[in-house]
Amino acid sequence: MRENIYLQIYTEYSNRIHSGQLAPGTKLPSESELAEAYKTSRETVRKALNLLFREGYINKIKGKGSFVLDMTRMDFPVTGLISFQEMSGTLGVPSRTLVEETVLEPAGSLLARQLHIAEETPVWKVIRAREIEGERIILDKDYFRSDIVPLLSKEIAAGSIYEYLETDLGLKISYAKKLISVEPSTGEDQRLLDLKQYQHIVVVRNYVYLENTVLFQYTESRHRLDKFQFVDFARRVRR
Amino acid sequence: MRENIYLQIYTEYSNRIHSGQLAPGTKLPSESELAEAYKTSRETVRKALNLLFREGYINKIKGKGSFVLDMTRMDFPVTGLISFQEMSGTLGVPSRTLVEETVLEPAGSLLARQLHIAEETPVWKVIRAREIEGERIILDKDYFRSDIVPLLSKEIAAGSIYEYLETDLGLKISYAKKLISVEPSTGEDQRLLDLKQYQHIVVVRNYVYLENTVLFQYTESRHRLDKFQFVDFARRVRR
DNA sequence: AAGTGGTCTAGACCACGTA
DNA sequence: ACGTGGTCTAGACCACTTC
């Protein structure tokens, strides 16, 4: 039996909405009609529609139907940082990554507390500056537990570390917590970034957990004030 | 027939996890066991567990079971601003709201663009300063479409506007988009807040939509740099 | 009354983890 | 082999909207 019918329906419709093929306001076929069209049950269709709903692609109104929302007003991505990854993905913005450091060293007291490990545990430390349109704007400081990530080369750091972790190491990332705050900039910030006159810097602390709830990565992403933007889309939960 | 069994299960377990009655790491009963215990079907139980999963209360591992996550490490709320509402809710932090202005006036060009309405349309404007531990730290500027919110008194503004909108006016809030950025502070900020030496201010723009996808409220929440913090919990979506 | 989405049922088969 | 969660089915009844 083919599986993940609901993901297939979700993907097809999210693509059509993304591409503009389905204009905002368009009414989707009813759940029963979709079930028939995909030769599946209504509950399976509902799973797909609920995904689209949760991510802001459509709105569902009882008694009326499901309607395409205006994603263009939402900018992108629906939730997350408008930062290096996204900026460099968008058309024609020249950007590059400067790997400043890739070392294996003992965690130390501060980091040991962040990662909930012993101070002596060796930890991979990767420091990268992100240059966008000729300006070094973001400083990424990544720390990985070395018992989980045995090797990290400069080459890997220059590319996508996440791809390496998921496809090569087979790690299953489950969830992450972000903490955003504004803090005075450090000497390191001033040395590695083009900070202009700004005395403060936006710090995004990221705690990444594996499926087995092990916290294996801690990241500090330090953004120049004027280039920082964060988007959050939230459905209101009724209880 | 009793309805919303899944919400009942969700509420019971989220409460137990919140209160610490269910310690982190605890294994929940299996889905079949829960279905039997609540005299319902497995799919209904799964609906409840998926809610708990999405909100970071539990982790689900195929073949093993569902496990309580450590919420205390997560601070609170799971996603959102650590700001006035939350701060004032926590024990013993003295705080109050100063209503600076409650007027009905034409939208004007800037606001007309934000709310997607005509410039002449009257709009309720509510300006409130939030004082925490004797310092005015947050400036909330709320704008409501007057065709949807007919009346807004100073008394309502001093309390919870959302409660008024939902219970008294029966408005159904569906979703909201937040945009966070850092900007130079204005004269108004300096006049109404205790800004200290800070030249910049964290601006949280909030766009609130009703169930029928009408954008009816635009809010600017302006936070003093050093008192701003935002938390985001995100499950990694696998596609 | 007809059509829509919201909830629920009582099964089924599969993939994964543990023993 | 067994228990676990992940997906799916083919129905059912309900609440809401529209006609």
Side-chain angles (χ1 to χ4, degrees), chain A residues 13-66:
Chain A
Y13 271 89
S14 60
N15 285 342
R16 276 190 224 169
I17 294 172
H18 237 135
S19 70
Q21 189 191 327
L22 282 173
T26 308
K27 184 176 179 300
L28 297 192
S30 75
E31 295 179 348
S32 323
E33 285 168 349
L34 282 172
E36 205 174 344
Y38 282 90
K39 297 204 189 321
T40 185
S41 66
R42 219 188 111 208
E43 280 289 5
T44 299
V45 169
R46 282 179 56 70
K47 236 167 157 173
L49 293 190
N50 281 331
L51 254 184
L52 292 168
F53 174 79
R54 256 160 43 206
E55 304 199 353
Y57 285 100
I58 64 171
N59 203 29
K60 307 181 81 181
I61 307 180
K62 191 194 282 195
K64 294 184 76 172
S66 299

Side-chain angles (χ1 to χ4, degrees), chain A residues 170-221:
Chain A
L171 293 180
K172 289 188 182 168
I173 290 161
S174 175
Y175 57 98
K177 188 182 71 161
K178 279 194 176 71
L179 263 162
I180 303 175
S181 58
V182 185
E183 302 174 10
S185 61
T186 66
E188 186 186 44
D189 296 329
Q190 283 147 31
R191 199 172 70 248
L192 298 177
L193 295 179
D194 300 319
L195 265 198
K196 290 190 168 172
Q197 81 286 17
Y198 303 111
Q199 318 232 332
H200 291 80
I201 195 154
V202 181
V203 182
V204 181
R205 293 192 165 79
N206 204 14
Y207 300 82
V208 184
Y209 294 80
L210 298 179
E211 204 168 70
N212 56 7
T213 78
V214 169
L215 172 61
F216 88 108
Q217 182 194 4
Y218 165 70
T219 300
E220 260 184 47
S221 205

Side-chain angles (χ1 to χ4, degrees), chain B residues 3-6 39-44 62-64:
Chain B
E3 203 143 297
N4 268 353
I5 309 174
Y6 82 93
K39 295 202 189 324
T40 183
S41 66
R42 218 187 112 208
E43 280 290 7
T44 299
K62 193 196 281 196
K64 293 186 73 174

